[in-house]
Amino acid sequence: MARREKGGFWVGLAAAAFYPLTAIGKRVYLGAEKIPRQGPAVLVMNHISHLDPAVDAVFVHRQKRVPRFFLKASLKDVPVFGRIVTGSGQIPVARGSSAAGDSLKAAHQALEEGKVIVIYPEGTITKDPLGWPKEAYSGAARLALQNDVPVIPIARWGTNQIFNGYTKKFTPLPRKTVTHLVGDPIDLSRFRGANPRSASTLREVTAVLMDEVTRLLVEIRQEEPPAKKPDDGSARDGA
């Protein structure tokens, strides 16, 4: 049996806060054994609610791993929470600044050290009223191409029914089911010889990653997505 990855005091403090919070939903974990119990991995997920990071952190932590998320750099300045973010090894993102590229450098370093990176390629919660993934940034593709590590798609559904980030509606009761479905590692071998900085390659790999996440979401929801992904008009580079 694999041992739990050590997280230290700040990870323990985050767990103490997040575990009770995520108890507001009923958990269903499908395919969780596909997450490596040791060594580096990139977990690629959809983003439907502001509850996702807490819920997903608990999901990954229950698999005996310590997740590293990309978070807004400004969160480091929030009292107490900012210290948890820094102490637990989360990765700050300063979009639109000269330091924006530092987040990917930190992620590369974390993977070299055998850590698990959780990334939402959409960047923000989807603007699709039905909750389907929108157009994504290329950060996940950059990590996948520049690091020969397992890239694992995961779809999660149900957090949006507890808290809707656009209507600001919080509906904890009756308890909703939050489902995580983990797919097989994505085979990106055909891209290994390509230029990892090529815009066309990054677009193609990003599409492959999000298609896999969407396929898993279809399996959870038993519904078909729209023919065209929602687009908020933002740029598609960066994390």
Side-chain angles (χ1 to χ4, degrees), residues 1-5 11 15-16 18-29 32-33 35-37 43 54-67 69 116 175 178 180:
M1 182 179 294
R3 294 182 179 180
R4 176 176 294 282
E5 180 184 351
V11 170
F18 289 165
Y19 271 70
L21 172 64
T22 59
I24 61 177
K26 303 174 186 178
R27 298 189 310 272
V28 174
Y29 295 164
E33 71 280 356
I35 296 177
R37 295 306 188 263
L43 309 184
V55 169
D56 297 339
V58 169
F59 168 67
V60 175
H61 194 257
R62 286 184 180 275
Q63 314 318 313
K64 301 184 178 181
R65 300 306 305 269
V66 175
F69 289 82
V116 168
R175 289 181 76 204
V178 177
H180 286 78

Side-chain angles (χ1 to χ4, degrees), residues 18-103:
F18 289 165
Y19 271 70
L21 172 64
T22 59
I24 61 177
K26 303 174 186 178
R27 298 189 310 272
V28 174
Y29 295 164
L30 304 173
E33 71 280 356
K34 297 176 183 179
I35 296 177
R37 295 306 188 263
Q38 58 185 3
V42 176
L43 309 184
V44 181
M45 305 186 70
N46 63 317
H47 199 3
I48 52 176
S49 170
H50 293 102
L51 291 177
D52 292 344
V55 169
D56 297 339
V58 169
F59 168 67
V60 175
H61 194 257
R62 286 184 180 275
Q63 314 318 313
K64 301 184 178 181
R65 300 306 305 269
V66 175
R68 270 76 180 180
F69 289 82
F70 289 91
L71 298 175
K72 291 181 180 179
S74 58
L75 291 177
K76 293 194 303 179
D77 301 324
V78 177
V80 183
F81 184 74
R83 189 65 187 90
I84 294 175
V85 166
T86 302
S88 60
Q90 306 312 305
I91 302 170
V93 179
R95 284 209 180 107
S97 74
S98 58
D102 291 345
S103 59

Side-chain angles (χ1 to χ4, degrees), residues 68-148:
R68 270 76 180 180
F69 289 82
F70 289 91
L71 298 175
K72 291 181 180 179
S74 58
L75 291 177
K76 293 194 303 179
D77 301 324
V78 177
V80 183
F81 184 74
R83 189 65 187 90
I84 294 175
V85 166
T86 302
S88 60
Q90 306 312 305
I91 302 170
V93 179
R95 284 209 180 107
S97 74
S98 58
D102 291 345
S103 59
L104 283 178
K105 292 178 183 177
H108 291 310
Q109 180 64 36
L111 291 172
E112 290 178 6
E113 295 172 357
K115 311 301 184 183
V116 168
I117 300 293
V118 180
I119 186 167
Y120 304 131
E122 298 165 86
T124 59
I125 60 175
T126 179
K127 289 181 170 55
D128 177 36
L130 297 179
W132 293 104
K134 69 181 182 68
E135 291 292 330
Y137 292 91
S138 64
R142 293 173 189 270
L143 285 179
L145 289 175
Q146 295 180 38
N147 298 274
D148 191 8

